[in-house]
């Protein structure tokens, strides 16, 4: 009598692999499990919060939310906290080689601007001065 489990029919004890003999590809293991969420870097957040502070000072925005998801990071801007976000500033690294990782979307999900550099994408919120004739 032993404390080892019974073997399936026709299998000898020397044919079984122990846990230390199993080879696991670490890159597949990392990607499949415990992938860290996508986040904004400090400089990116500084740029976003600078625009946010300016718009709050103008009375257009009042609240924000930051979501760090598995595939993207989202900075949502609200006029009132109980409503849908007016704008979403998204960072999606999967699109970095194509259209650019950063994009600004409106309340309907339409992409207003997309690009590789966050500073250029945030220019969508700059006010254009108009000449007024009196």
């Amino acid at each position: 009598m032993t404390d080892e489990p019974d073997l399936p029919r026709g299998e000898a004890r020397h044919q079984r692999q122990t846990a230390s003999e199993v080879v696991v590809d670490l890159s597949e293991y990392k990607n499949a499990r415990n992938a860290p969420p996508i986040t904004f870097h400090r400089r990116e957040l500084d740029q976003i919060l600078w625009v946010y502070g300016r718009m709050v000072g103008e009375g257009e925005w009042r609240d924000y939310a930051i979501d760090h998801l598995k595939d993207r990071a989202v900075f949502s801007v609200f006029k009132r906290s109980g409503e849908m976000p007016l704008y979403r500033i998204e960072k999606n690294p999967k699109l970095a080689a194509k259209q650019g990782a950063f994009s600004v979307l409106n309340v309907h999900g339409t992409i207003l601007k997309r690009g590789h550099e966050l500073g250029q994408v945030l220019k969508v919120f700059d006010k254009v001065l108009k000449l007024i004739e009196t």
Side-chain angles (χ1 to χ4, degrees):
M1 208 186 242
T2 66
D3 57 347
E4 294 182 18
D6 293 337
L7 293 174
R9 274 193 170 228
E11 187 175 329
R13 186 143 322 268
H14 65 277
Q15 291 177 340
R16 290 191 68 193
Q17 289 183 339
T18 63
S20 63
E21 295 173 349
V22 177
V23 178
V24 176
D25 187 9
L26 290 178
S27 63
E28 290 179 16
Y29 179 78
K30 277 184 170 179
N31 293 338
R33 294 180 155 209
N34 302 332
I38 305 300
T39 60
F40 289 109
H41 295 289
R42 182 182 176 129
R43 294 183 194 272
E44 295 166 351
L45 266 178
D46 285 345
Q47 290 177 330
I48 294 170
L49 289 173
W50 188 84
V51 171
Y52 175 78
R54 192 184 77 218
M55 299 301 270
V56 167
E58 294 176 7
E60 294 190 29
W61 297 350
R62 293 186 183 209
D63 200 6
Y64 72 91
I66 301 175
D67 295 314
H68 295 184
L69 308 171
K70 287 184 180 182
D71 61 337
R72 66 184 186 271
V74 181
F75 186 95
S76 302
V77 176
F78 299 89
K79 178 72 173 179
R80 293 179 193 86
S81 60
E83 296 180 353
M84 295 285 291
L86 292 175
Y87 299 101
R88 290 189 328 245
I89 302 164
E90 293 189 0
K91 176 183 177 181
N92 189 344
K94 289 182 181 176
L95 299 176
K98 298 177 182 178
Q99 302 106 347
F102 300 101
S103 59
V104 175
L105 293 86
N106 67 5
V107 72
H108 304 295
T110 306
I111 298 173
L112 302 177
K113 194 159 187 175
R114 175 181 280 161
H116 297 281
E117 296 180 20
L118 181 60
Q120 294 295 321
V121 172
L122 292 176
K123 286 186 178 181
V124 76
F125 298 116
D126 291 346
K127 301 277 185 182
V128 178
L129 298 176
K130 298 179 184 177
L131 179 63
I132 300 175
E133 295 182 24
T134 56

